[in-house]
Amino acid sequence: MKADRQRRAPLYEALLRHMKRNPGNFHVPGHKQGRVFDGEGMRLFSSVLSIDLTELSPLDDLHDPAGVIAEAQALAAEAFGADETFFLVGGSTAGNLAAILSCCRPGDVLLVQRSSHQSVFHACMLAGVRPVYLGTRVDEKSGLDQGVDPEVLAEALGHFPEAKGVVVTSPSYHGVVQPVRRFADLCHARGIPLIVDEAHGAHFGFHPDLPPPAIRSGADLVVQSTHKMLPAMTMASMLHLRGKRIRRERLTRWLRILQSSSPSYPLMASLDLARRLVATEGRRRLDDVLSGLRGIRERIGAFRRLSESVGPLPQDPLKLSLESGTGTSGFRMAEWLESRDCFPELADHRRVLFTFSLARPGREEERLVRLLNELDEQLSGMPAASPLPHPEFERWRVGEDLTRWMDTSGTSVPLDEAVGRPSADMVLPYPPGIPLILPGERWTEERALFLRQVVDAGGRVRGISSVSPLRVSVLE
């Protein structure tokens, strides 16, 4: 990676040059670089409106890049280790959709990690694939999903030699990293691509104490939510391509179809700047962050009730999952923290998750430790939640044809009456956005109990029509 080149931010620089020319603005968008906007909102939006522009000749075109966007994407590919990188303005969702649509046609078999993000299953719907779901292991001690066992993947590949590709998620929301290199070797031995949803791993590879990135571990196509772990604006993401197992022409065609024809220049410029920052300052900044997190973990290690959830696989040190030895739910702990203006990334029935980034530890982190120390003392007086093991999935199984359910109308019934009947909807606690049940899968007592307890504990769930009593949509 050429350090001098990485100090450039060509798209951002082009926006600044254009703004300084004070050009006549006779094009969209209608706020005319902030000349007309809501008066109160102007105080916050004014600086961003000045670079909220459209596909003018000096600013290139995301869907046919030949100038500054092409240069910015090439610098990103160099920094992240890809053959080619594509900017995404629709989040990792757009990347997952394009990835699967580009390697599959209707009727093709695709091996998919069952604990994937909802966007992966939406892509399977749109592509008309025959999904084969790969079950995942859950560590008994920590309760963390450990991903797909390579032996399970090898077994499934043996049963489905016609498979067109494999889709896995690494790292998980909680930072658990899967053996991507082993997956890639298994896929490539059969001549098929490995697609990795690496939404939470855009920072990997920029410090020796972080796990290796999927694109440098043999993956053919990697989707990253740059905005999650690096300093880009929300929705700003990247798709990295390596090798020739996925046809570039088909991929770019699907990106043109799926992404807006009016992409946001502030979002794209934030990708350009996030890449520049992590490529030129990432190692130094991560030194500070990781050192600070070691100190935080040492202090948490002295607590009596709170402890970190750690499984047997490598985990991202920028993710901190805490659980209570008293059995208090993560929902209850998050509620306590939020009442004191401290907002964690995620909570579930067992733990609460904190996410860190390239931002240097400072007063906020010190305040967090003080609050966690206070929470540790308060936990003795908080009620314990009922044990709630997550429903397990089979080692692997053939999934339902999801295209059948896109136009199917269901019947709303109380949750108790749904047991034994196929779901008409995708039902998922959010975050993390991993479906508890997919269209066509049958409700079981185990899944119904899990859903009821998540709602009772204060979790948010998409795909239910009411919370009192719980109602879900099923097929007759």
Side-chain angles (χ1 to χ4, degrees):
M1 183 168 65
K2 301 293 175 115
D4 288 343
R5 279 208 305 270
Q6 290 296 325
R7 292 191 178 92
R8 291 209 53 217
L11 177 55
Y12 176 71
E13 292 161 6
L15 287 167
L16 289 185
R17 285 195 300 270
H18 186 77
M19 185 177 65
K20 289 175 181 176
R21 292 169 65 182
N22 193 24
N25 186 319
F26 301 99
H27 53 76
V28 298
H31 58 70
K32 301 293 183 181
Q33 292 180 272
R35 283 169 49 202
V36 55
F37 203 71
D38 177 84
E40 181 182 354
M42 180 66 81
R43 290 197 293 272
L44 280 176
F45 279 80
S46 58
S47 58
V48 130
L49 293 176
S50 65
I51 60 168
D52 184 27
L53 292 157
T54 190
E55 291 88 346
L56 307 176
S57 55
L59 303 181
D60 208 358
D61 179 354
L62 178 65
H63 297 296
D64 187 23
V68 290
I69 293 177
E71 188 179 351
Q73 291 184 148
L75 286 169
E78 180 184 89
F80 289 91
D83 291 343
E84 193 166 3
T85 291
F86 302 88
F87 285 177
L88 303 174
V89 292
S92 283
T93 291
N96 285 335
L97 294 176
I100 290 172
L101 285 159
S102 66
C103 74
C104 295
R105 288 178 170 79
D108 284 346
V109 171
L110 182 70
L111 305 190
V112 178
Q113 180 176 327
R114 177 55 182 82
S115 55
S116 294
H117 186 262
Q118 60 179 330
S119 59
V120 169
F121 302 104
H122 290 154
C124 291
M125 287 183 183
L126 293 174
V129 302
R130 292 191 294 138
V132 173
Y133 296 133
L134 304 172
T136 52
R137 306 157 291 174
V138 175
D139 176 52
E140 289 186 9
K141 181 180 178 182
S142 66
L144 294 174
D145 189 327
Q146 299 298 295
V148 177
D149 187 329
E151 292 183 3
V152 170
L153 175 57
E155 183 181 322
L157 285 169
H159 278 81
F160 297 94
E162 73 274 29
K164 297 299 182 182
V166 173
V167 182
V168 299
T169 300
S170 182
S172 69
Y173 214 125
H174 287 276
V176 178
V177 181
Q178 298 199 64
V180 173
R181 173 63 67 182
R182 293 181 67 187
F183 295 161
D185 290 343
L186 288 168
C187 291
H188 296 167
R190 294 181 176 271
I192 62 173
L194 173 66
I195 297 169
V196 179
D197 179 350
E198 198 178 41
H200 289 263
H203 56 307
F204 287 2
F206 291 97
H207 193 282
D209 291 345
L210 295 178
I215 200 68
R216 297 184 190 273
S217 300
D220 299 272
L221 192 152
V222 174
V223 181
Q224 292 178 340
S225 292
T226 318
H227 65 94
K228 282 186 167 68
M229 301 301 292
L230 293 180
M233 293 174 68
T234 297
M235 286 176 58
S237 302
M238 294 187 194
L239 185 155
H240 304 299
L241 179 66
R242 196 167 187 177
K244 299 186 181 301
R245 293 181 184 88
I246 292 178
R247 285 176 50 200
R248 181 195 181 280
E249 298 79 9
R250 190 169 167 84
L251 178 62
T252 55
R253 186 178 301 130
W254 275 113
L255 286 172
R256 286 196 298 271
I257 293 169
L258 293 165
Q259 297 214 89
S260 171
S261 59
S262 302
S264 164
Y265 274 83
L267 290 187
M268 291 188 290
S270 78
L271 287 172
D272 200 17
L273 293 171
R275 181 272 313 156
R276 180 170 74 177
L277 182 69
V278 73
T280 60
E281 301 181 30
R283 172 68 181 264
R284 175 174 58 82
R285 288 177 177 270
L286 285 164
D287 274 339
D288 291 343
V289 172
L290 292 168
S291 174
L293 284 171
R294 283 191 288 272
I296 289 172
R297 285 183 163 93
E298 285 177 7
R299 294 167 70 180
I300 290 172
F303 290 173
R304 292 187 293 170
R305 300 173 183 89
L306 278 176
S307 62
E308 185 173 5
S309 300
V310 179
L313 288 182
Q315 287 179 230
D316 178 9
L318 269 60
K319 296 290 185 77
L320 177 64
S321 298
L322 297 181
E323 60 181 301
S324 167
T326 65
T328 301
S329 76
F331 297 121
R332 179 68 186 89
M333 292 189 285
E335 180 184 0
W336 187 92
L337 288 163
E338 288 177 1
S339 71
R340 289 153 179 80
D341 292 328
C342 178
F343 293 85
E345 168 66 20
L346 171 149
D348 61 22
H349 63 282
R350 181 166 173 172
R351 62 187 68 79
V352 62
L353 172 68
F354 302 88
T355 297
F356 300 85
S357 73
L358 269 63
R360 292 185 175 90
R363 285 178 294 181
E364 273 196 6
E365 284 75 14
E366 182 61 34
R367 179 170 170 268
L368 171 64
V369 174
R370 290 199 304 270
L371 280 173
L372 291 175
N373 186 47
E374 184 181 347
L375 174 60
D376 187 63
E377 296 296 326
Q378 295 287 324
L379 283 170
S380 60
M382 293 184 182
S386 302
L388 189 57
H390 196 286
E392 294 187 4
F393 302 112
E394 300 94 328
R395 281 171 63 88
W396 61 264
R397 72 173 182 85
V398 179
E400 293 72 20
D401 177 4
L402 294 174
T403 58
R404 291 177 55 196
W405 318 111
M406 292 180 69
D407 296 318
T408 302
S409 298
T411 300
S412 177
V413 299
L415 181 59
D416 290 339
E417 296 180 20
V419 174
R421 302 167 75 174
S423 177
D425 289 331
M426 191 182 294
V427 177
L428 58 151
Y430 198 90
I434 296 170
L436 169 66
I437 193 164
L438 292 167
E441 290 182 339
R442 292 186 180 273
W443 280 99
T444 62
E445 291 282 1
E446 183 186 32
R447 286 174 172 169
L449 175 62
F450 184 85
L451 174 59
R452 186 178 295 108
Q453 290 184 306
V454 166
V455 172
D456 288 346
R460 292 178 293 166
V461 179
R462 295 178 179 177
I464 57 175
S465 58
S466 151
V467 293
S468 184
L470 284 176
R471 298 182 69 88
V472 294
S473 183
V474 298
L475 297 170
E476 295 298 335

